[in-house]
Amino acid sequence: MASSADVHVRICGQEIIKYDLEIKALIQDIRDCPGPHSALTELNSQVKEKFSKLRLRIQDLEQMAREQDRETDRLAIQAETESQRRQMLSNQTAWRKANLACKLSIDNMEKDELLHGREISNIRQRKATKESLVETSSNITESLMSISRMMSEQVKQSEDTIGTLATSSRTVLETNEEFKNMTGTIHLGRKLILKYNRRELTDKLLIFLALALFLATVLYILKKRLFPFI
Protein backbone atom coordinates (compact mmCIF):
# COMPACT_ATOMS: atom_id res chain seq x y z
CA MET A 1 0.00 0.00 0.00
CA ALA A 2 2.85 2.34 0.88
CA SER A 3 4.61 1.45 -2.38
CA SER A 4 1.48 2.29 -4.39
CA ALA A 5 1.24 5.66 -2.61
CA ASP A 6 4.87 6.32 -3.39
CA VAL A 7 4.18 5.62 -7.07
CA HIS A 8 1.27 8.07 -7.13
CA VAL A 9 3.40 10.68 -5.38
CA ARG A 10 6.16 10.21 -7.96
CA ILE A 11 3.70 10.39 -10.85
CA CYS A 12 2.10 13.51 -9.40
CA GLY A 13 5.55 15.07 -8.88
CA GLN A 14 6.53 14.28 -12.46
CA GLU A 15 3.34 15.83 -13.80
CA ILE A 16 3.96 18.92 -11.67
CA ILE A 17 7.48 19.20 -13.08
CA LYS A 18 6.12 18.70 -16.61
CA TYR A 19 3.54 21.47 -16.21
CA ASP A 20 6.19 23.69 -14.62
CA LEU A 21 8.52 23.21 -17.60
CA GLU A 22 5.68 23.78 -20.07
CA ILE A 23 4.71 26.97 -18.24
CA LYS A 24 8.31 28.20 -18.30
CA ALA A 25 8.50 27.48 -22.04
CA LEU A 26 5.22 29.36 -22.65
CA ILE A 27 6.48 32.31 -20.57
CA GLN A 28 9.59 32.42 -22.76
CA ASP A 29 7.36 32.31 -25.84
CA ILE A 30 5.47 35.29 -24.42
CA ARG A 31 8.74 37.18 -23.92
CA ASP A 32 9.66 36.45 -27.54
CA CYS A 33 6.17 37.07 -28.92
CA PRO A 34 6.39 39.68 -31.74
CA GLY A 35 2.65 40.17 -31.70
CA PRO A 36 -0.05 40.81 -32.54
CA HIS A 37 -2.17 40.92 -29.41
CA SER A 38 -4.21 37.97 -30.62
CA ALA A 39 -1.08 35.77 -30.55
CA LEU A 40 -0.32 36.95 -27.02
CA THR A 41 -3.90 36.19 -25.99
CA GLU A 42 -3.56 32.65 -27.36
CA LEU A 43 -0.31 32.07 -25.39
CA ASN A 44 -1.91 33.41 -22.20
CA SER A 45 -4.85 31.08 -22.70
CA GLN A 46 -2.43 28.12 -22.86
CA VAL A 47 -0.57 29.36 -19.76
CA LYS A 48 -3.81 29.65 -17.82
CA GLU A 49 -4.72 26.10 -18.78
CA LYS A 50 -1.31 24.83 -17.62
CA PHE A 51 -1.54 26.76 -14.35
CA SER A 52 -4.98 25.31 -13.73
CA LYS A 53 -3.68 21.76 -14.22
CA LEU A 54 -0.56 22.53 -12.17
CA ARG A 55 -2.67 23.90 -9.30
CA LEU A 56 -4.81 20.77 -9.30
CA ARG A 57 -1.77 18.50 -9.21
CA ILE A 58 -0.25 20.52 -6.31
CA GLN A 59 -3.54 20.15 -4.47
CA ASP A 60 -3.42 16.40 -5.17
CA LEU A 61 0.13 16.26 -3.84
CA GLU A 62 -0.97 18.16 -0.73
CA GLN A 63 -3.80 15.70 -0.24
CA MET A 64 -1.37 12.80 -0.59
CA ALA A 65 0.83 14.36 2.11
CA ARG A 66 -2.08 14.36 4.53
CA GLU A 67 -2.79 10.72 3.72
CA GLN A 68 0.74 9.56 4.56
CA ASP A 69 1.10 7.29 7.59
CA ARG A 70 4.64 8.16 8.39
CA GLU A 71 5.42 11.61 9.63
CA THR A 72 8.66 11.81 7.71
CA ASP A 73 6.92 11.01 4.41
CA ARG A 74 4.16 13.51 5.19
CA LEU A 75 6.65 16.27 6.00
CA ALA A 76 8.73 15.48 2.94
CA ILE A 77 5.70 15.63 0.63
CA GLN A 78 4.47 18.80 2.31
CA ALA A 79 7.89 20.38 1.80
CA GLU A 80 7.78 19.35 -1.86
CA THR A 81 4.27 20.77 -2.12
CA GLU A 82 5.36 24.12 -0.63
CA SER A 83 8.36 24.16 -2.95
CA GLN A 84 6.15 23.57 -5.99
CA ARG A 85 3.65 26.17 -4.74
CA ARG A 86 6.46 28.75 -4.43
CA GLN A 87 7.68 27.76 -7.89
CA MET A 88 4.17 28.24 -9.22
CA LEU A 89 3.98 31.70 -7.62
CA SER A 90 7.38 32.53 -9.12
CA ASN A 91 6.13 31.41 -12.52
CA GLN A 92 3.03 33.59 -12.10
CA THR A 93 5.23 36.58 -11.31
CA ALA A 94 7.42 35.83 -14.33
CA TRP A 95 4.25 35.40 -16.41
CA ARG A 96 2.94 38.84 -15.40
CA LYS A 97 6.31 40.47 -16.10
CA ALA A 98 6.57 38.71 -19.47
CA ASN A 99 3.04 39.90 -20.32
CA LEU A 100 3.85 43.48 -19.43
CA ALA A 101 7.08 43.39 -21.45
CA CYS A 102 5.39 41.75 -24.41
CA LYS A 103 2.44 44.18 -24.38
CA LEU A 104 4.84 47.11 -24.14
CA SER A 105 6.89 45.72 -27.03
CA ILE A 106 3.79 45.15 -29.16
CA ASP A 107 2.45 48.63 -28.36
CA ASN A 108 5.77 50.21 -29.28
CA MET A 109 5.94 48.16 -32.45
CA GLU A 110 2.39 49.15 -33.39
CA LYS A 111 3.22 52.79 -32.70
CA ASP A 112 6.30 52.49 -34.90
CA GLU A 113 4.26 50.82 -37.62
CA LEU A 114 1.60 53.50 -37.25
CA LEU A 115 4.19 56.26 -37.49
CA HIS A 116 5.88 54.49 -40.36
CA GLY A 117 2.49 54.03 -42.00
CA ARG A 118 1.77 57.71 -41.54
CA GLU A 119 5.16 58.57 -42.99
CA ILE A 120 4.46 56.32 -45.96
CA SER A 121 1.00 57.84 -46.26
CA ASN A 122 2.50 61.33 -46.11
CA ILE A 123 5.11 60.38 -48.70
CA ARG A 124 2.44 58.90 -50.92
CA GLN A 125 0.27 61.94 -50.37
CA ARG A 126 3.16 64.27 -51.21
CA LYS A 127 3.93 62.15 -54.24
CA ALA A 128 0.28 62.20 -55.29
CA THR A 129 0.19 65.97 -54.70
CA LYS A 130 3.34 66.40 -56.76
CA GLU A 131 1.93 64.24 -59.53
CA SER A 132 -1.32 66.18 -59.33
CA LEU A 133 0.60 69.47 -59.57
CA VAL A 134 2.58 68.15 -62.54
CA GLU A 135 -0.61 66.97 -64.20
CA THR A 136 -2.31 70.30 -63.45
CA SER A 137 0.71 72.18 -64.82
CA SER A 138 0.67 69.99 -67.92
CA ASN A 139 -3.05 70.62 -68.37
CA ILE A 140 -2.54 74.36 -67.93
CA THR A 141 0.32 74.31 -70.45
CA GLU A 142 -1.83 72.34 -72.88
CA SER A 143 -4.70 74.78 -72.32
CA LEU A 144 -2.39 77.75 -72.93
CA MET A 145 -1.06 76.13 -76.08
CA SER A 146 -4.62 75.45 -77.23
CA ILE A 147 -5.58 79.06 -76.48
CA SER A 148 -2.48 80.25 -78.34
CA ARG A 149 -3.43 78.13 -81.35
CA MET A 150 -7.00 79.45 -81.21
CA MET A 151 -5.75 83.03 -80.96
CA SER A 152 -3.41 82.42 -83.92
CA GLU A 153 -6.32 81.05 -85.93
CA GLN A 154 -8.47 84.01 -84.90
CA VAL A 155 -5.71 86.43 -85.92
CA LYS A 156 -5.38 84.66 -89.28
CA GLN A 157 -9.16 84.77 -89.73
CA SER A 158 -9.13 88.45 -88.78
CA GLU A 159 -6.37 89.11 -91.31
CA ASP A 160 -8.35 87.24 -93.96
CA THR A 161 -11.48 89.19 -93.01
CA ILE A 162 -9.59 92.49 -93.14
CA GLY A 163 -8.21 91.52 -96.56
CA THR A 164 -11.70 90.63 -97.75
CA LEU A 165 -13.06 93.90 -96.37
CA ALA A 166 -10.25 95.83 -98.06
CA THR A 167 -11.01 94.09 -101.36
CA SER A 168 -14.72 94.72 -100.88
CA SER A 169 -13.98 98.36 -100.03
CA ARG A 170 -11.92 98.79 -103.20
CA THR A 171 -14.70 97.13 -105.19
CA VAL A 172 -17.29 99.42 -103.60
CA LEU A 173 -15.11 102.47 -104.32
CA GLU A 174 -14.60 101.35 -107.90
CA THR A 175 -18.33 100.66 -108.25
CA ASN A 176 -19.11 104.05 -106.71
CA GLU A 177 -16.71 105.71 -109.14
CA GLU A 178 -18.28 103.86 -112.04
CA PHE A 179 -21.69 104.84 -110.72
CA LYS A 180 -20.62 108.47 -110.61
CA ASN A 181 -19.28 108.23 -114.14
CA MET A 182 -22.48 106.52 -115.25
CA THR A 183 -24.55 109.18 -113.47
CA GLY A 184 -22.59 111.89 -115.27
CA THR A 185 -23.10 110.11 -118.56
CA ILE A 186 -26.82 109.70 -117.91
CA HIS A 187 -27.07 113.37 -116.92
CA LEU A 188 -25.26 114.40 -120.11
CA GLY A 189 -27.48 112.14 -122.16
CA ARG A 190 -30.52 113.64 -120.54
CA LYS A 191 -29.29 117.13 -121.43
CA LEU A 192 -28.67 116.01 -125.00
CA ILE A 193 -32.11 114.44 -125.19
CA LEU A 194 -33.72 117.62 -123.87
CA LYS A 195 -31.67 119.64 -126.36
CA TYR A 196 -32.67 117.36 -129.19
CA ASN A 197 -36.29 117.50 -128.06
CA ARG A 198 -36.19 121.30 -128.09
CA ARG A 199 -34.50 121.31 -131.48
CA GLU A 200 -37.10 118.90 -132.79
CA LEU A 201 -39.87 121.19 -131.56
CA THR A 202 -38.17 124.15 -133.20
CA ASP A 203 -37.73 122.22 -136.44
CA LYS A 204 -41.39 121.20 -136.39
CA LEU A 205 -42.39 124.80 -135.78
CA LEU A 206 -40.21 126.05 -138.64
CA ILE A 207 -41.56 123.33 -140.92
CA PHE A 208 -45.08 124.26 -139.94
CA LEU A 209 -44.38 127.95 -140.64
CA ALA A 210 -42.72 127.12 -143.93
CA LEU A 211 -45.64 124.92 -144.89
CA ALA A 212 -48.07 127.67 -143.93
CA LEU A 213 -46.08 130.17 -145.95
CA PHE A 214 -46.02 127.77 -148.87
CA LEU A 215 -49.75 127.19 -148.72
CA ALA A 216 -50.38 130.92 -148.44
CA THR A 217 -48.24 131.51 -151.51
CA VAL A 218 -50.03 128.80 -153.46
CA LEU A 219 -53.39 130.18 -152.51
CA TYR A 220 -52.28 133.65 -153.50
CA ILE A 221 -51.10 132.46 -156.90
CA LEU A 222 -54.31 130.52 -157.52
CA LYS A 223 -56.33 133.49 -156.55
CA LYS A 224 -54.52 135.73 -159.00
CA ARG A 225 -54.96 133.32 -161.85
CA LEU A 226 -58.42 132.07 -161.15
CA PHE A 227 -59.97 135.16 -159.85
CA PRO A 228 -58.08 138.09 -161.34
CA PHE A 229 -60.97 140.43 -160.93
CA ILE A 230 -61.01 139.96 -157.16
Side-chain angles (χ1 to χ4, degrees):
M1 187 70 178
S3 178
S4 177
D6 291 340
V7 170
H8 285 95
V9 169
R10 284 195 300 270
I11 293 174
C12 184
Q14 291 174 358
E15 289 181 352
I16 290 173
I17 292 172
K18 185 185 83 168
Y19 292 141
D20 178 72
L21 293 175
E22 290 177 349
I23 289 172
K24 283 180 169 61
L26 288 172
I27 291 172
Q28 186 60 44
D29 290 340
I30 290 174
R31 291 192 183 99
D32 299 335
C33 179
H37 284 288
S38 58
L40 177 61
T41 301
E42 176 63 25
L43 289 172
N44 283 324
S45 176
Q46 296 179 23
V47 172
K48 288 178 182 179
E49 181 181 358
K50 298 299 180 181
F51 268 122
S52 177
K53 292 180 178 180
L54 176 61
R55 191 176 294 109
L56 289 176
R57 299 312 292 163
I58 290 175
Q59 290 176 357
D60 291 341
L61 187 61
E62 189 177 15
Q63 180 64 31
M64 290 178 186
R66 288 194 291 267
E67 293 175 354
Q68 293 300 314
D69 295 331
R70 291 184 298 179
E71 183 69 16
T72 55
D73 293 339
R74 182 174 62 82
L75 292 175
I77 295 173
Q78 286 179 347
E80 180 65 20
T81 301
E82 289 299 324
S83 176
Q84 294 298 337
R85 197 183 301 276
R86 286 192 300 270
Q87 186 62 44
M88 183 180 68
L89 293 175
S90 177
N91 287 336
Q92 287 177 340
T93 301
W95 178 35
R96 285 193 295 271
K97 290 180 179 180
N99 261 285
L100 291 174
C102 183
K103 288 180 179 179
L104 182 61
S105 176
I106 293 174
D107 290 341
N108 291 333
M109 183 179 63
E110 289 181 350
K111 287 179 182 179
D112 291 340
E113 290 178 354
L114 182 60
L115 292 174
H116 184 64
R118 287 180 179 176
E119 290 177 358
I120 293 176
S121 177
N122 291 333
I123 292 172
R124 290 177 179 174
Q125 186 175 2
R126 286 195 296 270
K127 183 178 179 181
T129 302
K130 184 177 179 180
E131 292 176 353
S132 177
L133 289 174
V134 171
E135 183 178 359
T136 302
S137 177
S138 177
N139 292 335
I140 292 173
T141 303
E142 183 66 25
S143 298
L144 290 175
M145 292 178 65
S146 177
I147 292 171
S148 178
R149 288 194 296 269
M150 291 176 62
M151 291 179 67
S152 178
E153 293 175 358
Q154 289 293 330
V155 169
K156 188 176 182 302
Q157 290 179 0
S158 298
E159 291 176 351
D160 294 339
T161 302
I162 291 173
T164 303
L165 289 174
T167 303
S168 300
S169 178
R170 287 194 298 270
T171 303
V172 170
L173 290 174
E174 292 173 357
T175 303
N176 189 32
E177 189 66 26
E178 292 178 359
F179 180 74
K180 287 180 180 180
N181 295 332
M182 188 178 294
T183 302
T185 303
I186 292 173
H187 186 64
L188 180 60
R190 183 181 178 187
K191 286 182 179 181
L192 291 174
I193 290 171
L194 290 175
K195 182 178 179 181
Y196 289 150
N197 286 337
R198 286 195 299 270
R199 181 172 291 182
E200 184 181 2
L201 181 60
T202 302
D203 291 343
K204 286 181 180 180
L205 182 59
L206 290 174
I207 293 171
F208 179 75
L209 291 174
L211 183 60
L213 180 61
F214 176 75
L215 290 176
T217 303
V218 171
L219 288 174
Y220 178 75
I221 294 170
L222 290 175
K223 179 182 175 183
K224 290 294 185 179
R225 291 184 177 183
L226 295 176
F227 306 99
F229 53 90
I230 298 176

